[in-house]
Amino acid sequence: MADETAVEATGLEKSYGRVRVLAGVDLNVPRGSVFSLLGPNGAGKTTTVRILSTLVRPDAGRVRVAGFDAVRDRRAVRRRISLTGQYAALDAEQTGEENLRMMGRLSGLSRRRARERAGELLERFDLTAAARRRVGTYSGGMRRRLDIAAGLVGDPEVVFLDEPTTGLDPRSRQAMWEFVASLAGTGTTVFLTTQYLEEADRLADRVALLDGGRLVAEGTPGELKRRIAGRRLDLTLADPAAYARVADRLGDIAVLRVPDRLLLGVPTDGSAAHVRALLDEVDPDRDAVDRFAVYEATLDDVFLALTGSPAAPAVSTAAAAPEEATDA
């Protein structure tokens, strides 16, 4: 594996009984980057992370992390990685400082170095004022920050973050995004799984989309969005009958379908001429479309177009800002 590669997987396969979870997955994650693995529920994301972090052995394939074989050299890999799950794994009866000092000692640091490292991380995560409070008194955002800080005690080369902002309020989520970006800025590799496509769009240098145990797409967020269209024309139909009629007319062209909102989305280049042509095509009698708007394409659109499923928990258009909105 080249020095610039932090995580490499080739032909990764895994089955549980008769259920094939991974069917030949290839991954290559450069050092010092943020890599996001997306996919619908049951796609194989968690199994992939467990294999890469040495918790599960693959049935077939080759895996190298931080320069070591993840099967033969598990101990060497574990000394160089950090894995943070969806829920904080902390001792609620200890203080924040005690949790970090304990992790330092478990990582092989001397008492003095463990105390120094705890202080460094408490300051970095803005937890110094709460350092001597029991973790049971922390807010959800504070617990999440301390949990990730605990995973960094050993100064890992690769950090696996499994849905790090689940359950956080918007302000805490924003702070976490800034932290993840700063981690990559110091040369640490971040392998991120998330249910928030906006999170991957904002943070990831590269994104891989997993569906049915196979990679269906990989690239930068911009490359993936351009793959389906640079922009999207959203059509709000007049009634359910109009929605059904237009949806049938569009077929596979529609990259967004939200029946309960009578909403359909189709790719467009955003030009007035193309928008007019699309409207004339889908609504020649001008009685089906109630409203329309042009949006920048998002990873939600990529997710829906390539997996045939909305992103968890649902396809959202709230984050996209319309360029124009006009009555049809």
Side-chain angles (χ1 to χ4, degrees):
M1 183 175 71
D3 290 340
E4 65 271 13
T5 302
V7 178
E8 182 182 53
T10 306
L12 207 57
E13 297 183 12
K14 185 65 182 179
S15 297
Y16 293 100
R18 296 183 178 181
V19 179
R20 196 176 191 189
V21 181
L22 298 178
V25 171
D26 297 334
L27 293 172
N28 191 295
V29 181
R31 290 185 185 272
S33 67
V34 179
F35 185 92
S36 184
L37 185 64
L38 303 177
N41 291 334
K45 301 187 301 298
T46 297
T47 298
T48 300
V49 170
R50 287 177 176 173
I51 290 173
L52 297 178
S53 58
T54 77
L55 297 180
V56 171
R57 289 176 178 265
D59 295 335
R62 178 172 173 266
V63 184
R64 292 180 67 83
V65 178
F68 294 89
D69 188 288
V71 175
R72 294 196 306 266
D73 302 313
R74 287 188 299 168
R75 289 185 179 180
V77 171
R78 289 175 181 177
R79 286 196 295 267
R80 291 163 174 80
I81 69 171
S82 168
L83 172 61
T84 301
Q86 296 181 31
Y87 305 102
L90 302 165
D91 186 340
E93 297 303 314
Q94 292 194 88
T95 67
E97 182 181 26
E98 288 170 341
N99 269 274
L100 295 184
R101 289 172 64 179
M102 176 182 68
M103 290 301 300
R105 295 291 287 154
L106 290 173
S107 299
L109 301 182
S110 67
R111 290 182 183 275
R112 178 179 177 180
R113 182 54 188 149
R115 183 172 60 253
E116 291 173 347
R117 185 62 173 154
E120 293 168 1
L121 291 168
L122 288 166
E123 182 176 359
R124 182 176 181 180
F125 284 84
D126 194 23
L127 291 169
T128 303
R132 299 191 176 181
R133 280 172 45 192
R134 286 192 312 107
V135 171
T137 69
Y138 282 19
S139 67
M142 293 169 68
R143 283 175 176 244
R144 201 71 180 122
R145 298 204 305 274
L146 183 65
D147 193 34
I148 294 178
L152 297 177
V153 167
D155 199 20
E157 296 178 32
V158 181
V159 176
F160 293 94
L161 297 178
D162 186 13
E163 301 190 7
T165 61
T166 296
L168 296 187
D169 60 76
R171 179 174 294 182
S172 296
R173 183 173 296 129
Q174 175 72 29
M176 189 62 67
W177 287 352
E178 292 173 359
F179 163 70
V180 171
S182 72
L183 260 185
T186 63
T188 303
T189 305
V190 179
F191 193 104
L192 171 73
T193 68
T194 179
Q195 63 176 319
Y196 302 112
L197 299 190
E198 180 189 1
E199 189 163 87
D201 202 351
R202 175 165 177 169
L203 293 175
D205 298 300
R206 294 188 68 80
V207 173
L209 187 54
L210 193 65
D211 189 31
R214 298 181 183 275
L215 283 185
V216 296
E218 183 180 349
T220 67
E223 288 170 348
L224 294 183
K225 285 183 282 188
R226 286 192 295 273
R227 179 169 172 173
I228 64 164
R231 297 177 183 177
R232 189 186 75 229
L233 174 65
D234 280 4
L235 308 171
T236 300
L237 285 304
D239 52 51
Y243 177 90
R245 187 168 65 253
V246 174
D248 183 64
R249 186 173 295 157
L250 289 172
D252 293 338
I253 296 175
V255 295
L256 179 69
R257 294 172 183 263
V258 189
D260 60 341
R261 293 173 54 193
L262 303 179
L263 181 64
L264 293 167
V266 294
T268 178
D269 62 12
S271 68
H274 192 237
V275 170
R276 280 196 296 267
L278 284 171
L279 290 171
D280 288 341
E281 180 181 351
V282 302
D283 189 15
D285 298 327
R286 302 196 176 186
D287 59 358
V289 177
D290 184 48
R291 296 185 307 278
F292 69 88
V294 177
Y295 290 84
E296 292 290 337
T298 68
L299 282 183
D300 295 84
D301 303 315
V302 176
F303 196 101
L304 182 62
L306 297 180
T307 70
S309 305
V315 171
S316 170
T317 59
E323 297 178 349
E324 58 177 314
T326 310
D327 290 335

